[in-house]
Amino acid sequence: MAVHEESPADAKQDAMEELQSIRQSIDNIDAALIHLLAERFKFTQGVGRLKAQHGLPPADPAREFLQIQRLRGLAEEARLDPAFAEKFLNFIIAEVIHHHEKIAGDTSGVSKAGDPGDPAGSA
């Protein structure tokens, strides 16, 4: 009795099915990341409004430094390149500071916080 061998066409089909499954998982993670970033930015918008209302500077270098160090440590624990994690966080921090500067310069954004028509209030 001959051992059943998988044909190259069957092996390729199996590989394509596994590839599709892995890609679906990646797509799910990407969607979760977008939703997490949206939630994070909702909170940072609130921080920006609070800073603007109280005349605080948009950037907080000491806090940013501590956050970068903390997240580099988390990246190392998760076996993620800490340099990549730092670049990613620096990108997010720069965007947050940009939002804070915009909020600070837009007095209507401060007074209308939470207004559904206000991009700062909905982000």
Side-chain angles (χ1 to χ4, degrees):
M1 191 169 210
V3 175
H4 175 60
E5 292 183 24
E6 189 172 41
S7 73
D10 290 340
K12 185 175 181 179
Q13 181 61 34
D14 289 347
M16 293 305 294
E17 288 173 8
E18 183 178 357
L19 180 61
Q20 182 58 35
S21 175
I22 293 168
R23 285 179 171 166
Q24 183 60 52
S25 295
I26 291 168
D27 291 350
N28 291 343
I29 292 168
D30 288 345
L33 286 171
I34 293 301
H35 288 283
L36 286 171
L37 283 170
E39 284 299 306
R40 188 185 197 287
F41 275 93
K42 285 177 188 176
F43 285 106
T44 61
Q45 292 292 332
V47 168
R49 287 189 297 273
L50 187 62
K51 285 181 173 185
Q53 289 168 352
H54 296 280
L56 298 170
D60 185 345
R63 161 89 173 148
E64 294 156 20
F65 175 80
L66 291 174
Q67 280 296 92
I68 288 169
Q69 296 310 306
R70 185 177 74 82
L71 292 181
R72 282 185 66 94
L74 290 171
E76 288 174 6
E77 290 173 15
R79 296 184 177 176
L80 177 66
D81 178 7
F84 168 77
E86 183 172 346
K87 287 178 192 175
F88 182 71
L89 186 60
N90 278 326
F91 177 78
I92 291 172
I93 289 170
E95 189 66 17
V96 167
I97 291 170
H98 172 74
H99 290 180
H100 290 184
E101 290 169 343
K102 184 176 177 186
I103 291 167
D106 180 11
T107 57
S108 66
V110 173
S111 63
K112 292 170 64 175
D115 178 352
D118 177 23
S122 62

